[in-house]
Amino acid sequence: MKKLLAVMAVIMAGVYAAPAQAADPDEAIKYRKYVMGTVGDHTQAFFAILQGKVPHTGELAYHARALAEAAKRTKAAFEQNTAGQGNEPTTTLDSAWDGPQFQAGLDKMIDATESMAVAVETGDMASVGAIAGTLGCKGCHDNYRSK
Ligand code: HEC
């Protein structure tokens, strides 16, 4: 058992060869886009169902929960300031790294998507409608993304 644990530790160390501090800027930018892309996909799927464009009402709770979980991951995704670094295309404006306002925008989205998921899970559809307009996607993009 002890031997097995030791072997696993070695394997894990190899798999999760975590960089000591910062990631390569291009990788950090790509990761950020993967996470935001997931947020975007679940949001689109959620609204397509909510607005009756597709009939998959049984999937609404899944997308709401997946959106809330993805939203929580945006904090890590925006941890590394990549301003002026790397070759990977990015639309994040330098001002996103300036202060607490951008982070507050992420926090607001995290809270709103969590509340929305709970509302769907408890069948409180009136609240879903009210919260859906307060996710803050457009506001943040208008302020912190290049066109
Ligand atoms: C607090 C700011 C903020 C909030 C809130 C926010 N975003 Fe973003 N989002 C960004 C920034 C900055 C980028 C640019 C990422 C990059 O290119 O480096 C981005 C990029 C994206 C992308 C493009 C990802 C890619 O592949 O390039 C999508 C899609 C997206 N956001 C969807 C959403 C949706 C949907 C919401 C709301 C549920 C949302 N975002 C909320 C800041 C935000």
Side-chain angles (χ1 to χ4, degrees), residues 32-33 36-37 39-40 43 78 90-92 102 105-106 109 136-137 140-141 144-145:
R32 188 160 79 213
K33 293 197 288 189
M36 283 317 305
V39 167
T43 301
F78 281 99
T90 172
T91 55
T92 302
F102 180 84
L106 293 180
M109 167 178 64
C137 316
C140 184
H141 290 182
Y144 297 105
R145 284 187 85 187

Side-chain angles (χ1 to χ4, degrees), residues 23 25-26 29 80-88 90:
D26 285 335
I29 293 166
Q80 186 175 333
N81 182 340
T82 56
Q85 300 166 37
N87 299 311
E88 180 69 20
T90 172

